[in-house]
């Protein structure tokens, strides 16, 4: 019985990591005119299941909204009106160019593998990239972290991105795809273009995911720079995340985003705190501290918790780089001297980059920023979740 289970698991493993994932792209825009062009390798174009054209070098097809359907055009020749248009690669790992033309001309993008194009509920074009995992992860990592990084840092990002993908496959199910290309999922603004080292990192960490102490897939939250200390998760969100605890981080403190300054009009600062939180300006003690605040270590609230003024709310309202700041009054301005850039929970990207440069492995980097996490092959994870071992872990 165990032999059969292992065989089935192996088959599932090969299927899962060769299958396509459905990623909604260009989701920031409402598009009613779309251009698909040749980039690398030919593509067959299908309208409602019937082959209509093959995109060869120098060729393209245009897709326009036509009532509740899509009009397919090649050059000046109409090819029909359809509910669904498929753009399918003739061989694996081809790539295409895609560009929204109307109502606003967008910057061209490139993606691997296949496309499914339908009408969205707002009568714009819905574009779904059916992409294989390695190509998706490579595009995400370059979109999120850019080029020129150390291999071990890219392994960190590959592990976190893979874990996120596999734990959020139903996030956009109601919209007809799994994840989208925006930052609330994972930024995915192009295929991998400039950084071949990223593919090496994806392959070197093949199937590896991060799990927490309760043997569940762990969300690898990250941000640009912590300024020297990451944040407790419940300082930022309503619910604590057990593996995201505050750590002192000296790896990022000499980078360009480690410190910042912002000046806010005195009147605007006072108006916000009084109007939104009823700051007690009539109190002789608290009145003196309205414009003066110091954080030796990261805190959750302005002044004291009893006033109920979350630093996260101040950050969002005044568009601050982080919640970790001191402030004082200079004339008619409140001067904020801050540290870090981002929400501060989880992995500090600039710190992790520096750790990689200094010779730390990707597993050491992840275990520095996340508490009591482990790295495991995804299919070992699935196997263990089936039996008594998992029952023991969660009880």
């Amino acid at each position: 019985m165990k032999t059969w289970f292992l065989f089935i698991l192996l088959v599932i493993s090969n299927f899962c990591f060769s299958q396509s994932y459905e990623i909604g792209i260009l989701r920031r825009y409402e598009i009613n005119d779309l251009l698909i062009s040749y980039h690398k390798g030919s593509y067959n174009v299908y309208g409602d299941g019937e082959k209509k054209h093959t995109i060869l070098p120098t060729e393209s097809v245009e897709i326009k909204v036509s009532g509740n359907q899509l009009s397919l055009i090649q050059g000046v020749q109409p090819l029909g009106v359809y509910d669904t248009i498929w753009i399918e690669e003739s061989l694996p790992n081809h790539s295409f160019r895609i560009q929204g033309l109307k109502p606003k001309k967008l910057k061209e993008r490139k993606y691997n593998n296949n496309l499914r194009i339908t009408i969205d509920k707002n009568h714009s074009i819905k574009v779904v990239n059916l992409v294989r995992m390695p190509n998706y992860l490579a595009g995400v990592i370059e979109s999120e972290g850019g080029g020129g990084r150390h291999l071990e840092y890219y392994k960190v990002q590959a592990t976190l991105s893979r874990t996120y993908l596999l734990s959020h496959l139903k996030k956009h199910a109601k919209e007809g795809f799994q994840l989208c290309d925006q930052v609330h999922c994972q930024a995915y603004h192009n295929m991998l273009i400039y950084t071949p080292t990223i593919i090496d990192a994806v392959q070197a960490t093949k199937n590896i995911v991060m799990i927490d102490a309760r043997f569940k897939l762990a969300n690898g939250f990250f941000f640009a720079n912590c300024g020297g200390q990451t944040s407790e998760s419940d300082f930022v969100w309503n619910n604590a995340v057990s593996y995201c605890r505050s750590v002192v981080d000296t790896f990022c403190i000499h980078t360009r985003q480690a410190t910042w300054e912002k000046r806010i009009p005195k009147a605007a600062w006072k108006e916000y705190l009084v109007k939104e939180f009823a700051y007690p300006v009539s109190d002789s003690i608290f009145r003196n501290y309205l414009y003066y605040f110091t954080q030796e270590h990261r805190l959750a609230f302005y002044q004291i918790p009893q006033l109920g003024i979350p630093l996260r709310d101040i950050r969002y309202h005044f568009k601050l780089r982080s919640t970790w700041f001191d402030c004082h009054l200079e004339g008619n301005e409140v001067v904020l001297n801050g540290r870090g850039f981002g929400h501060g929970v989880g992995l500090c990207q600039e710190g992790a980059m520096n750790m990689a440069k200094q010779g730390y492995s990707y597993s050491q980097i992840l275990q520095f920023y996340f508490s009591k996490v482990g790295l495991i092959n995804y299919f070992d994870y699935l196997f263990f979740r089936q039996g008594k071992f998992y029952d023991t872990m969660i009880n």
Side-chain angles (χ1 to χ4, degrees):
M1 186 67 181
K2 287 184 178 179
T3 302
W4 274 106
F5 180 79
L6 290 171
F7 173 75
I8 292 169
L9 194 64
L10 180 61
V11 172
I12 292 172
S13 169
N14 290 331
F15 169 74
C16 286
F17 281 87
S18 62
Q19 74 166 322
S20 294
Y21 293 87
E22 300 179 351
I23 312 298
I25 59 173
L26 301 172
R27 295 302 296 172
R28 183 179 173 185
Y29 310 100
E30 292 187 6
I31 299 169
N32 55 39
D33 191 347
L34 188 70
L35 187 69
I36 312 295
S37 306
Y38 182 93
H39 178 247
K40 179 183 177 184
S42 62
Y43 274 80
N44 296 318
V45 183
Y46 296 85
D48 291 341
E50 182 181 352
K51 184 176 177 181
K52 306 305 296 182
H53 185 68
T54 298
I55 301 175
L56 298 172
T58 74
E59 290 189 345
S60 62
V61 293
E62 189 174 355
I63 299 165
K64 296 182 177 182
V65 173
S66 178
N68 292 322
Q69 292 183 294
L70 297 167
S71 176
L72 177 63
I73 305 162
Q74 202 282 313
V76 295
Q77 180 181 359
L79 300 179
V81 179
Y82 308 99
D83 293 319
T84 304
I85 295 173
W86 292 83
I87 312 291
E88 294 190 356
E89 57 192 347
S90 56
L91 291 172
N93 284 327
H94 285 180
S95 56
F96 56 88
R97 302 172 188 268
I98 185 168
Q99 184 178 26
L101 298 180
K102 294 180 181 178
K104 178 182 178 181
K105 190 170 184 179
L106 304 177
K107 184 178 179 181
E108 181 183 85
R109 297 185 183 186
K110 302 180 184 73
Y111 288 104
N112 290 110
N113 305 131
N114 303 309
L115 275 180
R116 182 179 72 233
I117 304 169
T118 56
I119 288 285
D120 214 340
K121 60 184 179 182
N122 59 0
H123 296 285
S124 62
I125 297 175
K126 181 195 294 183
V127 188
V128 178
N129 182 202
L130 290 90
V131 59
R132 294 180 182 86
M133 181 181 283
N135 293 332
Y136 170 69
L137 295 180
V140 166
I141 294 165
E142 191 168 67
S143 295
E144 294 272 13
R149 314 301 183 194
H150 194 281
L151 176 63
E152 291 302 307
Y153 174 73
Y154 286 135
K155 289 181 184 179
V156 168
Q157 290 288 58
T159 303
L160 296 183
S161 295
R162 183 182 299 108
T163 305
Y164 186 90
L165 169 65
L166 293 171
S167 60
H168 290 82
L169 292 177
K170 296 182 179 180
K171 185 165 183 177
H172 284 281
K174 292 182 179 179
E175 296 158 270
F177 45 89
Q178 292 169 315
L179 296 178
C180 78
D181 60 344
Q182 298 299 291
V183 293
H184 67 260
C185 285
Q186 301 190 107
Y188 177 53
H189 300 151
N190 260 308
M191 61 181 277
L192 177 70
I193 296 175
Y194 302 109
T195 318
T197 307
I198 291 175
I199 283 292
D200 297 335
V202 170
Q203 294 300 330
T205 61
K206 183 179 179 180
N207 299 352
I208 299 299
V209 294
M210 187 169 74
I211 56 171
D212 65 15
R214 292 179 61 79
F215 218 74
K216 295 183 178 181
L217 294 177
N219 282 319
F221 305 106
F222 58 87
F223 55 94
N225 187 296
C226 71
Q229 181 188 5
T230 65
S231 177
E232 295 286 352
S233 56
D234 56 354
F235 288 7
V236 178
W237 303 309
N238 292 329
N239 299 316
V241 179
S242 62
Y243 49 87
C244 291
R245 304 302 305 272
S246 179
V247 297
V248 174
D249 176 11
T250 60
F251 295 102
C252 71
I253 58 176
H254 299 298
T255 56
R256 63 185 178 86
Q257 299 186 109
T259 59
W260 53 270
E261 179 180 295
K262 184 164 185 173
R263 292 172 177 264
I264 297 170
K266 175 183 175 181
W269 184 263
K270 179 180 179 180
E271 180 184 15
Y272 174 69
L273 294 180
V274 172
K275 183 178 179 180
E276 295 296 324
F277 303 103
Y279 189 93
V281 289
S282 60
D283 184 287
S284 60
I285 296 176
F286 284 113
R287 182 171 60 243
N288 295 329
Y289 292 99
L290 176 60
Y291 308 108
Y292 297 90
F293 178 59
T294 301
Q295 295 183 73
E296 183 179 352
H297 302 290
R298 282 185 179 263
L299 300 174
F301 293 93
Y302 188 68
Q303 303 302 354
I304 60 174
Q306 288 82 353
L307 291 178
I309 307 174
L311 290 169
R312 66 188 179 194
D313 290 9
I314 296 177
R315 180 193 172 210
Y316 294 142
H317 180 78
F318 289 109
K319 297 180 174 57
L320 307 180
R321 290 192 172 191
S322 73
T323 61
W324 195 8
F325 62 84
D326 301 338
C327 65
H328 64 276
L329 194 62
E330 287 187 9
N332 289 320
E333 292 182 320
V334 180
V335 181
L336 282 67
N337 298 112
R339 286 174 273 185
F341 194 170
H343 55 65
V345 178
L347 181 134
C348 170
Q349 288 179 299
E350 291 189 351
M353 291 173 192
N354 202 22
M355 289 184 74
K357 288 180 183 178
Q358 293 185 30
Y360 290 89
S361 70
Y362 83 100
S363 61
Q364 289 174 317
I365 295 169
L366 288 170
Q367 288 169 344
F368 174 75
Y369 286 106
F370 298 101
S371 304
K372 299 179 181 178
V373 295
L375 302 179
I376 187 173
N377 184 294
Y378 181 63
F379 299 100
D380 291 339
Y381 162 79
L382 292 180
F383 174 78
F384 286 124
R385 281 181 63 91
Q386 304 304 312
K388 294 181 179 179
F389 174 79
Y390 178 67
D391 294 334
T392 302
M393 289 293 296
I394 64 174
N395 294 320

